[in-house]
Amino acid sequence: MESTLTQIPSMTWELIQQQLKYVETNSVFYREKFQQLGISVDKLLPKDFTKFSITTKEELATRNKDFICVPKSEIIDYVTTSGTLGEPVTFALNEADLQRLAANEEKSFQLAEVTLEDVVQITTTLDRRFMAGMAYFLGLRKLGAGLVRVGSGVPELQWDSIKRFQPTYLVAVPSFLIKLGKYAKDHGIDCKNTSIKAAICIGESLRDENFKLNALGKKIEELWGIELFSTYASTEMSTAFTECEAHEGNHILEDLIYTEIVDEQGNLVKDGEVGELVITTLGIETMPLVRYATGDLVKKITSPCKCGRQGARLSSVLGRKKHLIKFKGTSIYPPQITEALADWPGIDLHLVKVSTSEVGTDHLEVILPNSFPKEELATLKPHLRAKLRVVPEIVFWEFEKLQQTVFNPKHRKPIRFIDERTQGDKI
Ligand SMILES: [Zn+2]
């Protein structure tokens, strides 16, 4: 394990040290933590970096203000996390952080081959306390590309803007591209014959661990016939990981973030193995994080990318650590269920629900709309067994109720999973 740690490149180690010195001086939370751990940043060696215990989501939520390193008068923008694993957490940014965010997103758009000549239509919200929407705006402005701020929803306005401004890229949540495609079909618009050549997608995985398009990705490709760039980002990381034209993993912007992949015990896993992503943000002034456990399960790919860029990449998120379901002796993550259902023709809407049974075990349900033809259950169940090794209980809801639960206007992303075991997580 130590041999991997000592391989922190010296340039990266300098950036990590700068960030550590900065939080030691300015963050109440980290100053206390370093004192408790008996760590002096000046004397720290790269191999000792793991002596820092992990920073948890719970610590970030309960001691939120103690993470802030700048006076209130310096703070410009307040945002919150998406709340995928609980209540949203506050984040704040100063001028330097907004500039870093712009530089991060400029690099991200460049990876997706956006140039000055392009016009990018943003179909995600720019407000509602959402960091990414502002990051897109700042990044495109820095890059100098054209941009259209349509915001989330409203397919009619999206299509009007596509006709009017002839954008070449869309920034979108994948499920919304399906919705937009359906609207087009119903209104005689040919999705495959527009100015759009690619979409930069956020919030939902498009590829499996072998970089092949998953069922959602395939559906979008069939509908639109455009190139799809997958990205992975979060408010806590304040950094985006984006695919290049090779589409074989999301490139890590190594001057902005340091990444480690760890197992259940917190030890580094081998490159290419699945583990939890732990991040240390670099260059952040207001709320820097040191060895923060994201809860996201990913793989790091260190083999050279076909595009020729240096550095490692991350896979799509393969699951959330906290969402592991143990059903009838089988371990399953919700995205596997979504993927198995997405292959089935005619299932456009579904919800996965896990609760605690009377005997204390996980109980797994798949909720489908009432309109699902019941005679298909005889073939759907063996399909699920083949994909998941177990068959969840299948439950039917009224279409409207299911639609409203999945596309809840209070959430930025569709809700595909309800966890009633503890605090009712939704993703
Ligand atoms: Zn590449």
Side-chain angles (χ1 to χ4, degrees), residues 111 243-249 251 305-309 313:
L111 277 160
E243 276 181 359
C244 66
E245 69 275 15
H247 304 288
E248 293 197 347
H251 279 275
C305 185
K306 285 174 189 153
C307 71
R309 288 180 183 88
R313 286 112 62 215

PDB file of all heavy atoms in Angstrom, residues 111 243-249 251 305-309 313, ligand 1:
ATOM      1  N   LEU A 111     -12.250  18.828 -23.016  1.00  0.00           N
ATOM      2  CA  LEU A 111     -12.165  17.374 -23.151  1.00  0.00           C
ATOM      3  C   LEU A 111     -13.277  16.853 -24.063  1.00  0.00           C
ATOM      4  O   LEU A 111     -13.094  15.940 -24.842  1.00  0.00           O
ATOM      5  CB  LEU A 111     -12.276  16.706 -21.771  1.00  0.00           C
ATOM      6  CG  LEU A 111     -10.983  16.646 -20.969  1.00  0.00           C
ATOM      7  CD1 LEU A 111     -11.281  16.431 -19.493  1.00  0.00           C
ATOM      8  CD2 LEU A 111     -10.069  15.538 -21.477  1.00  0.00           C
ATOM      9  N   GLU A 243     -15.206  12.697 -19.991  1.00  0.00           N
ATOM     10  CA  GLU A 243     -14.680  11.829 -21.049  1.00  0.00           C
ATOM     11  C   GLU A 243     -14.079  12.656 -22.172  1.00  0.00           C
ATOM     12  O   GLU A 243     -14.580  13.726 -22.493  1.00  0.00           O
ATOM     13  CB  GLU A 243     -15.839  11.054 -21.688  1.00  0.00           C
ATOM     14  CG  GLU A 243     -16.236   9.814 -20.984  1.00  0.00           C
ATOM     15  CD  GLU A 243     -17.378   9.113 -21.708  1.00  0.00           C
ATOM     16  OE1 GLU A 243     -17.871   9.602 -22.736  1.00  0.00           O
ATOM     17  OE2 GLU A 243     -17.778   8.070 -21.202  1.00  0.00           O
ATOM     18  N   CYS A 244     -13.055  12.089 -22.787  1.00  0.00           N
ATOM     19  CA  CYS A 244     -12.532  12.679 -24.027  1.00  0.00           C
ATOM     20  C   CYS A 244     -13.203  11.948 -25.187  1.00  0.00           C
ATOM     21  O   CYS A 244     -14.092  11.122 -24.980  1.00  0.00           O
ATOM     22  CB  CYS A 244     -11.027  12.497 -24.077  1.00  0.00           C
ATOM     23  SG  CYS A 244     -10.584  10.762 -24.213  1.00  0.00           S
ATOM     24  N   GLU A 245     -12.710  12.184 -26.397  1.00  0.00           N
ATOM     25  CA  GLU A 245     -13.318  11.569 -27.582  1.00  0.00           C
ATOM     26  C   GLU A 245     -13.155  10.037 -27.621  1.00  0.00           C
ATOM     27  O   GLU A 245     -13.854   9.365 -28.359  1.00  0.00           O
ATOM     28  CB  GLU A 245     -12.744  12.209 -28.860  1.00  0.00           C
ATOM     29  CG  GLU A 245     -11.270  11.908 -29.160  1.00  0.00           C
ATOM     30  CD  GLU A 245     -10.292  12.840 -28.446  1.00  0.00           C
ATOM     31  OE1 GLU A 245     -10.712  13.546 -27.499  1.00  0.00           O
ATOM     32  OE2 GLU A 245      -9.103  12.858 -28.831  1.00  0.00           O
ATOM     33  N   ALA A 246     -12.238   9.501 -26.779  1.00  0.00           N
ATOM     34  CA  ALA A 246     -12.054   8.041 -26.757  1.00  0.00           C
ATOM     35  C   ALA A 246     -13.170   7.350 -25.953  1.00  0.00           C
ATOM     36  O   ALA A 246     -13.396   6.151 -26.119  1.00  0.00           O
ATOM     37  CB  ALA A 246     -10.694   7.693 -26.166  1.00  0.00           C
ATOM     38  N   HIS A 247     -13.851   8.087 -25.076  1.00  0.00           N
ATOM     39  CA  HIS A 247     -14.956   7.550 -24.263  1.00  0.00           C
ATOM     40  C   HIS A 247     -14.535   6.314 -23.462  1.00  0.00           C
ATOM     41  O   HIS A 247     -15.257   5.323 -23.415  1.00  0.00           O
ATOM     42  CB  HIS A 247     -16.177   7.228 -25.140  1.00  0.00           C
ATOM     43  CG  HIS A 247     -16.661   8.397 -25.932  1.00  0.00           C
ATOM     44  ND1 HIS A 247     -17.311   9.470 -25.357  1.00  0.00           N
ATOM     45  CD2 HIS A 247     -16.558   8.698 -27.247  1.00  0.00           C
ATOM     46  CE1 HIS A 247     -17.602  10.362 -26.293  1.00  0.00           C
ATOM     47  NE2 HIS A 247     -17.149   9.930 -27.444  1.00  0.00           N
ATOM     48  N   GLU A 248     -13.360   6.378 -22.865  1.00  0.00           N
ATOM     49  CA  GLU A 248     -12.896   5.239 -22.064  1.00  0.00           C
ATOM     50  C   GLU A 248     -12.504   5.695 -20.664  1.00  0.00           C
ATOM     51  O   GLU A 248     -11.374   5.529 -20.225  1.00  0.00           O
ATOM     52  CB  GLU A 248     -11.736   4.530 -22.770  1.00  0.00           C
ATOM     53  CG  GLU A 248     -12.189   3.870 -24.056  1.00  0.00           C
ATOM     54  CD  GLU A 248     -11.219   2.834 -24.588  1.00  0.00           C
ATOM     55  OE1 GLU A 248     -10.082   2.775 -24.107  1.00  0.00           O
ATOM     56  OE2 GLU A 248     -11.630   2.099 -25.506  1.00  0.00           O
ATOM     57  N   GLY A 249     -13.424   6.335 -19.985  1.00  0.00           N
ATOM     58  CA  GLY A 249     -13.173   6.810 -18.630  1.00  0.00           C
ATOM     59  C   GLY A 249     -13.142   8.327 -18.588  1.00  0.00           C
ATOM     60  O   GLY A 249     -12.862   8.989 -19.592  1.00  0.00           O
ATOM     61  N   HIS A 251     -11.537  11.690 -17.495  1.00  0.00           N
ATOM     62  CA  HIS A 251     -10.202  12.178 -17.152  1.00  0.00           C
ATOM     63  C   HIS A 251     -10.218  12.938 -15.817  1.00  0.00           C
ATOM     64  O   HIS A 251     -11.138  13.716 -15.551  1.00  0.00           O
ATOM     65  CB  HIS A 251      -9.678  13.101 -18.255  1.00  0.00           C
ATOM     66  CG  HIS A 251      -9.112  12.350 -19.415  1.00  0.00           C
ATOM     67  ND1 HIS A 251      -7.818  11.900 -19.444  1.00  0.00           N
ATOM     68  CD2 HIS A 251      -9.672  11.940 -20.587  1.00  0.00           C
ATOM     69  CE1 HIS A 251      -7.598  11.258 -20.585  1.00  0.00           C
ATOM     70  NE2 HIS A 251      -8.709  11.267 -21.298  1.00  0.00           N
ATOM     71  N   CYS A 305      -4.535   6.644 -22.158  1.00  0.00           N
ATOM     72  CA  CYS A 305      -5.773   6.860 -22.921  1.00  0.00           C
ATOM     73  C   CYS A 305      -5.417   7.008 -24.401  1.00  0.00           C
ATOM     74  O   CYS A 305      -4.373   7.556 -24.742  1.00  0.00           O
ATOM     75  CB  CYS A 305      -6.495   8.101 -22.422  1.00  0.00           C
ATOM     76  SG  CYS A 305      -8.095   8.347 -23.230  1.00  0.00           S
ATOM     77  N   LYS A 306      -6.341   6.551 -25.253  1.00  0.00           N
ATOM     78  CA  LYS A 306      -6.121   6.636 -26.705  1.00  0.00           C
ATOM     79  C   LYS A 306      -5.927   8.071 -27.185  1.00  0.00           C
ATOM     80  O   LYS A 306      -5.359   8.323 -28.230  1.00  0.00           O
ATOM     81  CB  LYS A 306      -7.309   6.020 -27.444  1.00  0.00           C
ATOM     82  CG  LYS A 306      -7.317   4.514 -27.385  1.00  0.00           C
ATOM     83  CD  LYS A 306      -8.591   3.955 -28.012  1.00  0.00           C
ATOM     84  CE  LYS A 306      -8.679   2.456 -27.740  1.00  0.00           C
ATOM     85  NZ  LYS A 306     -10.054   1.994 -27.715  1.00  0.00           N
ATOM     86  N   CYS A 307      -6.438   9.028 -26.402  1.00  0.00           N
ATOM     87  CA  CYS A 307      -6.348  10.431 -26.823  1.00  0.00           C
ATOM     88  C   CYS A 307      -4.931  10.991 -26.630  1.00  0.00           C
ATOM     89  O   CYS A 307      -4.616  12.063 -27.124  1.00  0.00           O
ATOM     90  CB  CYS A 307      -7.345  11.289 -26.042  1.00  0.00           C
ATOM     91  SG  CYS A 307      -6.900  11.505 -24.313  1.00  0.00           S
ATOM     92  N   GLY A 308      -4.097  10.255 -25.874  1.00  0.00           N
ATOM     93  CA  GLY A 308      -2.719  10.699 -25.674  1.00  0.00           C
ATOM     94  C   GLY A 308      -2.522  11.592 -24.459  1.00  0.00           C
ATOM     95  O   GLY A 308      -1.393  11.948 -24.132  1.00  0.00           O
ATOM     96  N   ARG A 309      -3.619  11.941 -23.775  1.00  0.00           N
ATOM     97  CA  ARG A 309      -3.470  12.777 -22.576  1.00  0.00           C
ATOM     98  C   ARG A 309      -2.845  11.954 -21.453  1.00  0.00           C
ATOM     99  O   ARG A 309      -3.087  10.760 -21.344  1.00  0.00           O
ATOM    100  CB  ARG A 309      -4.828  13.335 -22.125  1.00  0.00           C
ATOM    101  CG  ARG A 309      -5.369  14.417 -23.027  1.00  0.00           C
ATOM    102  CD  ARG A 309      -6.720  14.909 -22.509  1.00  0.00           C
ATOM    103  NE  ARG A 309      -7.290  15.906 -23.404  1.00  0.00           N
ATOM    104  CZ  ARG A 309      -8.065  15.617 -24.447  1.00  0.00           C
ATOM    105  NH1 ARG A 309      -8.380  14.360 -24.716  1.00  0.00           N
ATOM    106  NH2 ARG A 309      -8.540  16.586 -25.212  1.00  0.00           N
ATOM    107  N   ARG A 313      -7.854   8.017 -15.273  1.00  0.00           N
ATOM    108  CA  ARG A 313      -9.286   8.308 -15.464  1.00  0.00           C
ATOM    109  C   ARG A 313     -10.112   7.539 -14.427  1.00  0.00           C
ATOM    110  O   ARG A 313      -9.641   6.575 -13.839  1.00  0.00           O
ATOM    111  CB  ARG A 313      -9.745   7.861 -16.859  1.00  0.00           C
ATOM    112  CG  ARG A 313      -9.279   8.753 -17.986  1.00  0.00           C
ATOM    113  CD  ARG A 313      -8.270   8.061 -18.889  1.00  0.00           C
ATOM    114  NE  ARG A 313      -8.766   6.895 -19.550  1.00  0.00           N
ATOM    115  CZ  ARG A 313      -8.039   5.805 -19.812  1.00  0.00           C
ATOM    116  NH1 ARG A 313      -6.772   5.749 -19.416  1.00  0.00           N
ATOM    117  NH2 ARG A 313      -8.546   4.780 -20.437  1.00  0.00           N
TER     118      ARG A 313
HETATM  119 ZN    ZN B   1      -8.611  10.464 -23.254  1.00  0.00          ZN
END
